[in-house]
Amino acid sequence: MCEITIQVNCPYCQSMKVVKNGVKRTGRQNSLCRGCGKQFQYVYQKAGCRPEVKRLVLRMLVRNSGIRDIEKVTGVHRQTVFRWLNQKAGSLQVSPRLEAYTSVQIDEVWTFVGQRKKRKRWLFYAYATETEEVLAWSWGNRNQRTVARLYKQLQALEIGRFCTDDWPAFGKVLPVEKHLVGKTYTRNIEGVNLCLRTRNRRIVRKTACFSKKEQNHYNAIKLICYYRNHHTL
């Protein structure tokens, strides 16, 4: 008689130190990982309970998939997708890798929340070409105050020069001796703008996609910036 043995690995830490840990009310076997201490089931009834599905949902969020598209493909309810989005974004911290940068480019893109496109939300952000990372960003109106909030986040860094277009608010906030103005100096960040619009439908200029809540909107952008910097979630 042939006996088939199935090796169960922990879906969280991939440890093989897995033992049985009682039975759920559904009658399904529950398992416990001795490595990380987390419990799991070998087979889940609901898609939202599977760790690999959660990782798939997060990858789809940063690859231009809409909430309802994700719900349709994965079988996870859209409210669960929103909850995962906000939980993941809340746990992430985008911080510069270096203490000094030769050149930083600054630009802005507009988005909107809800169906009123006249109420734009402007995203100002700083991009370092030498490390290809988003250093910091600021939300608000397209005015000097929003630029000042962004510059305050960059003051802890040693930056050789700031490259922007000729929008007047940049010249009023950034130090004159380090400020370079002209589209010639912002070609890299213009490419990042295109990437952001490609990765998130909310930033596309002509789109029917939008966020109903500002928290979901901001966290979706934060998730994309983190993914761009680290290429993993």
Side-chain angles (χ1 to χ4, degrees):
M1 184 176 181
C2 180
E3 180 179 353
I4 300 176
T5 303
I6 299 176
Q7 176 63 52
V8 179
N9 289 26
C10 174
Y12 299 98
C13 67
Q14 303 304 316
S15 173
M16 294 188 295
K17 299 178 180 179
V18 176
V19 296
K20 294 182 179 180
N21 191 40
V23 179
K24 292 291 187 180
R25 287 181 296 178
T26 58
R28 295 180 179 272
Q29 179 65 54
N30 190 46
S31 300
L32 172 67
C33 176
R34 296 292 190 187
C36 64
K38 293 186 177 181
Q39 300 184 47
F40 64 92
Q41 297 178 45
Y42 183 67
V43 178
Y44 288 94
Q45 288 182 320
K46 296 183 179 179
C49 298
R50 304 170 192 163
E52 66 275 10
V53 174
K54 184 175 182 178
R55 290 192 290 268
L56 174 61
V57 167
L58 292 174
R59 288 196 297 268
M60 293 179 72
L61 281 170
V62 296
R63 301 300 299 189
N64 203 17
S65 296
I67 300 297
R68 293 183 183 275
D69 293 336
I70 296 175
E71 180 184 35
K72 189 70 174 179
V73 172
T74 64
V76 178
H77 195 275
R78 58 182 175 275
Q79 293 301 328
T80 302
V81 176
F82 282 127
R83 186 174 73 252
W84 288 350
L85 165 64
N86 293 320
Q87 287 176 349
K88 187 64 177 180
S91 66
L92 299 178
Q93 182 64 38
V94 179
S95 57
R97 303 174 195 169
L98 308 177
E99 295 181 356
Y101 293 88
T102 305
S103 175
V104 169
Q105 299 180 19
I106 299 178
D107 201 8
E108 77 280 359
V109 293
W110 66 266
T111 65
F112 64 95
V113 178
Q115 296 181 342
R116 298 182 62 183
K117 290 190 176 183
K118 292 183 179 180
R119 295 183 59 188
K120 295 179 180 179
R121 305 306 198 268
W122 287 89
L123 168 65
F124 286 78
Y125 70 101
Y127 176 74
T129 57
E130 51 194 298
T131 55
E132 298 183 347
E133 62 175 321
V134 176
L135 301 178
W137 62 79
S138 176
W139 289 94
N141 296 324
R142 197 187 187 197
N143 55 26
Q144 183 177 336
R145 185 179 302 176
T146 309
V147 179
R149 288 201 301 267
L150 175 62
Y151 179 60
K152 185 177 180 180
Q153 299 178 55
L154 300 173
Q155 286 181 322
L157 302 174
E158 184 179 339
I159 298 175
R161 57 180 180 269
F162 297 91
C163 305
T164 70
D165 55 23
D166 58 355
W167 191 58
F170 291 128
K172 296 178 181 179
V173 175
L174 301 176
V176 178
E177 66 277 8
K178 295 183 178 181
H179 190 196
L180 297 179
V181 180
K183 291 291 186 180
T184 306
Y185 306 113
T186 59
R187 287 180 295 181
N188 298 94
I189 199 170
E190 291 292 347
V192 179
N193 291 345
L194 177 60
C195 178
L196 292 177
R197 293 188 183 101
T198 304
R199 295 285 175 84
N200 196 316
R201 301 180 188 177
R202 300 166 179 83
I203 313 178
V204 180
R205 291 189 176 97
K206 294 183 179 180
T207 180
C209 301
F210 59 91
S211 298
K212 294 181 180 179
K213 296 182 178 180
E214 292 199 16
Q215 182 183 18
N216 297 335
H217 185 73
Y218 297 161
N219 285 338
I221 303 297
K222 182 180 180 181
L223 204 67
I224 289 175
C225 291
Y226 183 90
Y227 179 79
R228 178 175 180 82
N229 288 356
H230 301 277
H231 303 288
T232 183
L233 288 173

